[in-house]
Amino acid sequence: MTILEKALEERSKKVNKVESTKALKAPMDVYAQLTDIAAAGYEGLAKEDSAYFLKCFGLFDKGEDFMLRVRVPGGQLSYEQAVCIGEVAKLYGNDYIDITTRMQVELRYIQIADIAKVLSALKKCGLSTFQTGVDNPRNIVTDPLDGIAYDCVIESMPLIRQLQDIFIENPEWISALPRKFNTAVLGSLSNSCNIFGHDCNFVLAQKDGVFGFNIYLGARVGMQAQDANTFVTAEEVPTFFKSLLTVFKNYGYRDNRNKNRLVFLLNDVGIDNFIDAVKAEAGLAFSSAGVTMVQSQNIALGSNKVLGRNGKYNYKVIIPSGIFSGTNLIASAEVAKAQGDGNLRLTYDQNLYVINVPSENLKALESSEVITHYAQFNNLYFADMIACAGTETCSFGVIPNKPDAIEMAHFLSSEVAIENANVRMNWSACPKGCGVHGIADIGFEGCKAKLSDGTRVDGVHIFLGGKITREAQEAHTLHKALPISEAKHHVKYLLKTYAEHKLRAETYEAFDDRFLSRNYSFQALAFFTKINYVLNEKLGLDIMLELEAEPKSSKREEYEIFGFGLKLYKLLTGEKRYDSVVGLAANMLKPTSIKRDTVSKLNDKVPAKLSEIIYNMTHENKKERAAVFSELLVALKEI
């Protein structure tokens, strides 16, 4: 018995409810009855169809209507397809469209009586909604400028079509997997599709002078993919992919649905053993990994247009939180046809490109009504923002989310405008993490929080320091359960520091590596944003505790606490706490003792609690000082 067989046997003692539902009927039998289902209305809708089978075809029952996912391979839409989606949205979906992080679209408010007509209309223009939900291979993503940008080494779209042909609308693969399966193929140097964030990732690589892909496997919310130490050529990609899906279908777990993603199988059997099984299934001995070539975040970093290697421009239209409309999708398609080649590209960050625009057509493009309308969002805080659906359209949402993301972007634009900069702020409305907050520079996860009077309000957990460039890294928690009305100020102080200390054209991700994470602990950064919120938004003192470019604390918490305390004492009193200090030791040649209320006596705007906090941070006896930032953060809540 192989290690995969043993792992499956151990996890096969029971089957989850979804697997029991899947055994009731064949998905294609339900698809064949869509006209009858539409005619029968909600009264005749079978529970298992609503809960599972319709999702195989992108139809998600929202109680009064349906959300419909439309598959857009690689995010590439022809003029005809864009117009078709726009017209369907206008006619059947309240003119509403969401652009998603899988580079596809979601239509909402579809009535049950119209579902068969909607799917038929989409199918006529070559669009499928198959396998966009539940236990299926989902839409495959890539660089939105695949085949166009200067940094594209291997065009990915032909490969994506080959991969999709394996499973799309194929009864053998519809609902056949233990869990959903996300895939990305990146043949470019820039990481413009979160390339380390999927179940299966084909990442541009080079080995022995041959370009191909290194394989990374097993990402999920809160965890980036693992290096599988495997290199495949472009010709080997379809064979590897089909073999991988087959191994996962045969050995993936079907008991605890929360632990059925590919990563759990990998963790149990080891990635080397799993790859050996894939090799055996494929009948090929794939090479060990080459050199991963991803080098940057986005070739168009900081710009809303980028010159392609064909000499034509590609113009990025910023769609706040991906909230779009059928009317504007049609308008974008018409502009693309008039000024470009008619095609559009959807992006991982919920925006779109009008592609292949000759330089002489740029002025006409930029003066068109739809482009002019969205030009107002061409700034730092909207350009790379991601936000998943919130409470208005998702039953899992804890906060409205998309409106919250837009409001914060407007706030930051007015408070901290920064030139030649890039910051990725991602919002998830709940712990499911559909807004991929965990790999953002600054991420937000929706939750409930409390005001000082105990009132429950919409809040967020704030995450800091996610990485997506040369290697993926999950962000660290900065604050838990902050009211959104407070959270925006914490972010403001982080960005003020970025504005003050960033190098020319330095991204926030690079700035975090060079300045924040290298010099300060995450506990210190949490205190930094909290104390500035207290000083300014709560006390109105108009002063800021600033971070040094070369602190001497070496990220040791006791040194950071002491150093911050000395700065606060000087800021609030105008006096030095000690004549001099060496490390944690103060010069005691002169009397330097203070009392808990000393800072308040020297500055009557400082409340007694803050005076006490500074006293505890700077006590002349090292053993009497506050030892950890967590106790200080708790104390600051009392101000």
Side-chain angles (χ1 to χ4, degrees):
M1 183 179 290
T2 67
I3 189 171
L4 273 78
E5 290 171 334
K6 289 179 181 178
L8 179 60
E9 183 179 61
E10 181 65 27
R11 290 284 301 271
S12 295
K13 296 174 182 177
K14 61 179 180 178
V15 174
N16 65 59
K17 292 181 179 179
V18 173
E19 290 295 330
S20 298
T21 299
K22 290 160 69 173
L24 295 176
K25 58 182 78 171
M28 288 305 293
D29 290 344
V30 178
Y31 185 77
Q33 298 167 0
L34 280 180
T35 300
D36 293 338
I37 290 172
Y42 267 107
E43 296 78 10
L45 185 60
K47 183 178 179 180
E48 64 271 17
D49 292 346
S50 170
Y52 185 84
F53 289 104
L54 290 178
K55 294 176 183 178
C56 291
F57 314 109
L59 287 160
F60 291 75
D61 182 9
K62 296 299 179 180
E64 297 179 351
D65 49 44
F66 283 82
M67 179 269 280
L68 176 65
R69 286 191 186 137
V70 182
R71 195 177 198 99
V72 184
Q76 298 188 14
L77 280 175
S78 68
Y79 166 80
E80 292 78 13
Q81 289 173 332
V83 170
C84 177
I85 292 172
E87 289 177 343
V88 167
K90 288 176 64 178
L91 188 59
Y92 299 106
N94 291 5
D95 201 23
Y96 184 93
I97 289 174
D98 276 324
I99 301 175
T100 79
T101 57
R102 295 220 65 78
M103 302 170 75
Q104 58 190 6
V105 299
E106 291 179 349
L107 306 177
R108 300 187 182 275
Y109 314 114
I110 308 295
Q111 299 301 307
I112 191 169
D114 297 324
I115 58 176
K117 290 181 286 187
V118 167
L119 295 184
S120 176
L122 293 170
K123 187 174 183 178
K124 286 179 181 177
C125 63
L127 290 165
S128 176
T129 64
F130 274 60
Q131 294 145 290
T132 54
V134 290
D135 302 343
N136 287 289
R138 306 292 185 85
N139 197 51
I140 303 174
V141 303
T142 188
D143 178 1
L145 296 181
D146 176 57
I148 296 176
Y150 275 98
D151 75 325
C152 180
V153 178
I154 300 175
E155 187 173 1
S156 299
M157 198 59 200
L159 294 172
I160 290 174
R161 293 192 184 98
Q162 291 180 57
L163 301 189
Q164 186 167 277
D165 286 345
I166 293 170
F167 62 83
I168 192 68
E169 301 192 15
N170 181 346
E172 292 182 12
W173 287 103
I174 298 173
S175 185
L177 298 179
R179 206 64 168 79
K180 71 176 181 179
F181 195 88
N182 292 332
T183 306
V185 183
L186 182 65
S188 302
L189 296 174
S190 57
N191 184 1
S192 51
C193 63
N194 183 25
I195 189 55
F196 302 103
H198 313 268
D199 292 277
C200 178
N201 310 271
F202 295 92
V203 186
L204 179 68
Q206 178 267 121
K207 184 170 185 181
D208 299 330
V210 176
F211 295 112
F213 302 91
N214 281 344
I215 305 298
Y216 290 76
L217 299 176
R220 66 181 180 92
V221 173
M223 182 180 295
Q224 293 295 287
Q226 305 170 41
D227 185 348
N229 189 26
T230 303
F231 176 85
V232 296
T233 64
E235 292 74 22
E236 292 172 330
V237 165
T239 301
F240 179 90
F241 183 72
K242 185 175 182 180
S243 301
L244 170 65
L245 284 182
T246 301
V247 173
F248 181 47
K249 179 178 71 173
N250 292 341
Y251 295 102
Y253 304 141
R254 298 176 186 266
D255 54 350
N256 184 344
R257 193 155 176 82
N258 292 326
K259 295 183 178 180
N260 283 8
R261 290 287 291 273
L262 175 64
V263 63
F264 296 101
L265 178 59
L266 296 178
N267 290 344
D268 285 350
V269 305
I271 199 162
D272 291 341
N273 289 317
F274 182 85
I275 289 295
D276 285 344
V278 174
K279 290 177 180 178
E281 177 67 31
L284 293 174
F286 302 109
S287 299
S288 59
V291 179
T292 296
M293 297 180 64
V294 173
Q295 295 294 314
S296 65
Q297 289 182 15
N298 192 317
I299 195 172
L301 204 61
S303 175
N304 68 314
K305 53 181 176 286
V306 59
L307 184 65
R309 57 188 177 191
N310 61 1
K312 297 180 180 180
Y313 281 91
N314 305 282
Y315 188 95
K316 191 175 186 180
V317 184
I318 307 302
I319 315 295
S321 293
I323 299 174
F324 209 35
S325 68
T327 297
N328 285 335
L329 181 57
I330 293 171
S332 299
E334 295 295 349
V335 168
K337 186 177 183 181
Q339 310 303 338
D341 66 3
N343 296 308
L344 301 173
R345 300 281 182 93
L346 306 182
T347 74
Y348 152 76
D349 52 13
Q350 301 176 297
N351 300 307
L352 66 82
Y353 275 102
V354 177
I355 63 170
N356 292 327
V357 180
S359 57
E360 62 269 22
N361 291 4
L362 272 177
K363 185 175 181 181
L365 174 79
E366 293 178 329
S367 62
S368 64
E369 184 176 353
V370 66
I371 300 301
T372 300
H373 171 74
Y374 286 100
Q376 63 182 302
F377 304 112
N378 284 335
N379 66 51
L380 167 66
Y381 300 113
F382 282 102
D384 294 283
M385 179 179 74
I386 291 174
C388 68
T391 50
E392 182 176 349
T393 55
C394 178
S395 58
F396 297 106
V398 181
I399 61 173
N401 206 51
K402 285 179 181 284
D404 299 318
I406 292 171
E407 192 281 329
M408 185 175 287
H410 280 304
F411 170 78
L412 295 171
S413 296
S414 64
E415 292 285 324
V416 197
I418 313 174
E419 297 294 327
N420 297 316
N422 170 265
V423 59
R424 298 175 298 106
M425 299 202 308
N426 298 357
W427 290 70
S428 296
C430 78
K432 285 183 173 292
C434 295
V436 287
H437 62 277
I439 49 86
D441 293 326
I442 305 173
F444 307 90
E445 179 190 311
C447 65
K448 289 302 178 183
K450 289 184 179 180
L451 299 176
S452 55
D453 64 2
T455 304
R456 282 174 58 84
V457 296
D458 290 338
V460 287
H461 307 309
I462 300 181
F463 296 80
L464 188 65
K467 313 293 180 196
I468 65 166
T469 304
R470 290 173 178 84
E471 64 178 29
Q473 178 179 309
E474 287 290 327
H476 295 264
T477 302
L478 186 72
H479 287 289
K480 299 285 284 184
L482 287 180
I484 295 176
S485 57
E486 177 181 338
K488 64 182 183 180
H489 296 287
H490 288 258
V491 177
K492 176 181 69 178
Y493 292 113
L494 290 170
L495 292 164
K496 280 180 175 288
T497 304
Y498 175 44
E500 176 69 21
H501 293 282
K502 83 176 188 71
L503 303 178
R504 179 172 59 89
E506 185 177 35
T507 66
Y508 191 95
E509 181 174 314
F511 171 75
D512 179 75
D513 281 336
R514 178 184 64 83
F515 187 99
L516 292 180
S517 295
R518 183 171 73 88
N519 293 325
Y520 294 95
S521 68
F522 280 95
Q523 294 86 349
L525 295 175
F527 179 85
F528 161 74
T529 64
K530 185 68 175 185
I531 191 64
N532 280 308
Y533 170 75
V534 170
L535 293 174
N536 293 279
E537 278 64 51
K538 281 207 162 187
L539 302 179
L541 296 178
D542 195 26
I543 59 175
M544 181 172 169
L545 172 67
E546 297 185 352
L547 299 178
E548 297 177 26
E550 297 291 339
K552 298 177 182 179
S553 56
S554 300
K555 297 177 67 171
R556 288 180 289 181
E557 197 163 2
E558 56 183 342
Y559 282 83
E560 291 175 321
I561 290 172
F562 187 51
F564 281 172
L566 296 178
K567 284 186 175 184
L568 288 168
Y569 189 89
K570 180 69 181 293
L571 279 172
L572 293 170
T573 68
E575 301 177 6
K576 293 177 68 174
R577 174 68 175 89
Y578 299 104
D579 283 344
S580 63
V581 296
V582 178
L584 293 175
N587 182 347
M588 302 299 289
L589 295 177
K590 296 180 181 180
T592 55
S593 296
I594 64 171
K595 296 182 179 180
R596 294 179 182 275
D597 62 352
T598 296
V599 178
S600 293
K601 287 184 175 179
L602 293 172
N603 184 343
D604 59 9
K605 294 182 179 179
V606 176
K609 189 63 181 179
L610 180 54
S611 180
E612 181 183 350
I613 289 171
I614 296 171
Y615 168 84
N616 290 332
M617 294 173 75
T618 64
H619 199 286
E620 53 268 21
N621 184 344
K622 289 187 287 184
K623 294 182 179 180
E624 297 294 324
R625 289 180 198 155
V628 292
F629 278 113
S630 57
E631 64 181 271
L632 299 176
L633 289 168
V634 170
L636 285 174
K637 291 181 180 180
E638 299 178 24
I639 298 176

